[in-house]
Amino acid sequence: MASRKSFELRSIVYAAVCLALCMVLPLLTGNIRQIGEQFAPMHFPVLLCGFIAGPIWGCVVGGVAPLMRNLIFTMPQLYPTAIRMMVELAIYGLASGLFYRYLPKKPFGIYVSLLSAQFFGRVAWGLTSYLISLLDKNYPFVIEMVMTKTISECLIGIAIQILLIPPVVYAMQKARFISKY
């Protein structure tokens, strides 16, 4: 019983740290939208949260972070940007945690978990954009826009995530900071 409570407390602390990073990391880009879109500073802690705190906490942090950041810093703009990001980041956290839970805890499994989470998060962003376009004609859905926004504009951020997240997760495994949930 104490072991389970210890695990739950550790997950809550990791989730809180990741949420705090979601608030702070975008400040490094100076809240300049174009730079923030390229580096995707909120994506890193959300993906990491899914790995270290589990899929539920990853989903919660991903869903709450854009809204909380909008309320505190007025960035990202609530509609439609933060709405799309809430769905995208929630899926990132959920998918990274779920794939990590069920795949081998070896480097290959970590990379597959990360790439799968990135894929499903971007699909979620595109679907959310499509739903917004159905409800609001001021934001038309153009498939080229979705491809540009979800892939080409984020290549630097995707590369940084691929380079940094798996080694961090693997190091945390080796140091026994991550439990096998």
Side-chain angles (χ1 to χ4, degrees):
M1 186 73 159
S3 174
R4 181 72 182 153
K5 284 186 179 184
S6 171
F7 171 72
E8 289 173 6
L9 180 61
R10 185 182 323 183
S11 295
I12 292 169
V13 170
Y14 285 154
V17 168
C18 289
L19 184 59
L21 286 172
C22 285
M23 298 301 111
V24 173
L25 287 179
L27 296 174
L28 298 177
T29 64
N31 279 339
I32 300 170
R33 196 183 96 224
Q34 291 79 9
I35 295 173
E37 286 176 356
Q38 287 181 349
F39 287 100
M42 290 177 67
H43 295 59
F44 183 88
V46 170
L47 287 162
L48 196 58
C49 186
F51 282 105
I52 64 175
I56 302 300
W57 283 111
C59 184
V60 168
V61 168
V64 167
L67 177 62
M68 191 169 158
R69 200 152 156 55
N70 172 271
L71 293 172
I72 295 171
F73 298 106
T74 68
M75 294 279 290
Q77 178 184 6
L78 183 59
Y79 181 79
T81 308
I83 302 295
R84 288 188 275 213
M85 285 181 69
M86 288 167 63
V87 174
E88 175 190 26
L89 294 180
I91 296 298
Y92 275 169
L94 179 69
S96 65
L98 282 175
F99 281 101
Y100 179 71
R101 175 180 284 177
Y102 294 109
L103 291 175
K105 307 300 184 261
K106 306 280 187 226
F108 176 77
I110 297 169
Y111 278 101
V112 170
S113 298
L114 174 62
L115 293 171
S116 299
Q118 290 175 325
F119 172 77
F120 285 109
R122 282 173 172 69
V123 168
W125 189 93
L127 290 174
T128 306
S129 297
Y130 178 70
L131 290 174
I132 288 172
S133 75
L134 291 176
L135 300 171
D136 187 348
K137 299 302 177 198
N138 292 324
Y139 295 98
F141 180 81
V142 180
I143 193 68
E144 290 82 13
M145 175 205 66
V146 171
M147 298 304 290
T148 301
K149 288 279 189 192
T150 60
I151 298 171
S152 64
E153 286 185 7
C154 300
L155 283 177
I156 294 171
I158 292 168
I160 291 170
Q161 292 163 14
I162 292 170
L163 288 173
L164 294 180
I165 291 175
V168 168
V169 171
Y170 195 68
M172 290 183 78
Q173 279 179 351
K174 291 297 180 189
R176 298 181 193 253
F177 285 122
I178 300 177
S179 300
K180 293 180 181 171
Y181 45 84

